[in-house]
Amino acid sequence: MFRIPEMVNQAQKYLDELPPFPGTLTAPQGKDIAGWIDHTNLHPGATSVEIADLCAEAVAYGFAAVCVNPIHVPLAAERCRDSEVEVCTVAGFPLGANMTAVKAIEASSSIDAGAGEIDMVINIGALKGGAYEIVLKDIQAVAQIVHTQGAILKVIIETALLSRFEKIMACLLVKAGGADFIKTSTGFSSGGAVLEDVDLMVRIVAPDLKVKAAGGIGSYEDARAMIQAGASRIGASAGVAIVEGAQG
């Protein structure tokens, strides 16, 4: 049982006395970095042809996953069926302002359609307003649905909109909520992933959760730095450029 006042006290303690960073991962070299990337197209105007091309690139380069909007999950699942590329989609995207029941239905329907990973946006307004119980129950409800259906849950906290304390509190709530990953950003807000945030998130959630860095990662150098800071997955629409930059 997680008690919100205890979590708030823990967050304040982290804010005042963050432990030393536990270390960095060795970043993959060359084409091996492809296995760390969610090759992404969440553009609202993305066509089926563009999604098919995204999937073909993912299979050819060996990306970890393709990340697409829910409407494109059946196509992505079909195109990636005979490969090791996972299909990832989003719930409550990009604002996080959907009702919990709607997020749960989105997640469940997407898994039924072939998704193996769900990237859900937290209730950002509730977090910023201090309504932590709402945030926690939102995450828990979706995590239960996702895990019951054998999929993975990544929770997006939209770091660009949060204070340092709010980022720490979000990490604790995502951890308590039973997610598998915590993710920096949607890529649709005022900013994306920054090294300081990845570093902070790893300190709070590792080794229980993994960190996905996303938003504004456009080069091999960017991706490699995020991995060295502790990210276990990179969300990027520039996956091909990242891999080709690594090979170059």
Side-chain angles (χ1 to χ4, degrees):
M1 180 68 179
F2 296 98
R3 298 183 182 279
I4 295 299
E6 293 173 2
M7 295 175 69
V8 172
N9 290 338
Q10 183 63 54
Q12 188 61 51
K13 184 176 179 180
Y14 274 123
L15 187 65
D16 295 337
E17 306 172 5
L18 279 174
F21 182 53
T24 59
L25 299 176
T26 300
Q29 301 293 323
K31 66 180 182 180
D32 291 339
I33 200 170
W36 296 62
I37 295 173
D38 288 357
H39 195 36
T40 303
N41 187 340
L42 293 168
H43 193 279
T47 66
S48 58
V49 171
E50 290 169 333
I51 298 303
D53 288 345
L54 185 85
C55 295
E57 290 171 343
V59 172
Y61 282 87
F63 292 123
V66 290
C67 188
V68 299
N69 280 309
I71 194 67
H72 298 301
V73 167
L75 173 60
E78 176 188 342
R79 294 304 176 100
C80 297
R81 179 176 294 123
D82 297 322
S83 74
E84 295 184 1
V85 178
E86 289 284 350
V87 175
C88 173
T89 192
V90 291
F93 191 88
L95 302 179
N98 306 62
M99 294 180 181
T100 298
V102 174
K103 293 180 184 179
I105 290 170
E106 267 192 301
S108 181
S109 298
S110 293
I111 295 167
D112 286 343
E117 300 183 0
I118 302 295
D119 288 14
M120 161 202 166
V121 186
I122 63 164
N123 186 328
I124 302 167
L127 175 69
K128 293 189 70 66
Y132 302 130
E133 191 71 35
I134 292 174
V135 179
L136 179 60
K137 288 182 177 179
D138 191 50
I139 298 166
Q140 287 174 326
V142 178
Q144 182 178 9
I145 290 290
V146 170
H147 292 153
T148 297
Q149 293 183 247
I152 288 173
L153 178 64
K154 310 189 200 93
V155 177
I156 306 169
I157 65 172
E158 203 68 284
T159 51
L161 302 181
L162 307 180
S163 69
R164 188 170 177 82
F165 177 82
E166 289 166 347
K167 292 169 191 175
I168 295 170
M169 195 65 202
C171 287
L172 294 175
L173 290 164
V174 173
K175 189 174 179 179
D180 302 288
F181 280 76
I182 185 168
K183 178 178 171 183
T184 59
S185 320
T186 63
F188 285 76
S189 187
S190 56
V194 297
L195 290 173
E196 181 182 2
D197 290 339
V198 172
D199 179 9
L200 176 67
M201 293 160 71
V202 170
R203 296 192 210 188
I204 306 301
V205 306
D208 302 292
L209 273 67
K210 297 178 180 179
V211 174
K212 177 177 174 179
I217 302 172
S219 70
Y220 170 63
E221 290 75 20
D222 292 341
R224 191 170 188 273
M226 294 294 172
I227 293 169
Q228 287 180 315
S232 298
R233 195 77 71 87
I234 301 296
S237 58
V240 172
I242 290 170
V243 174
E244 292 184 348
Q247 293 172 333

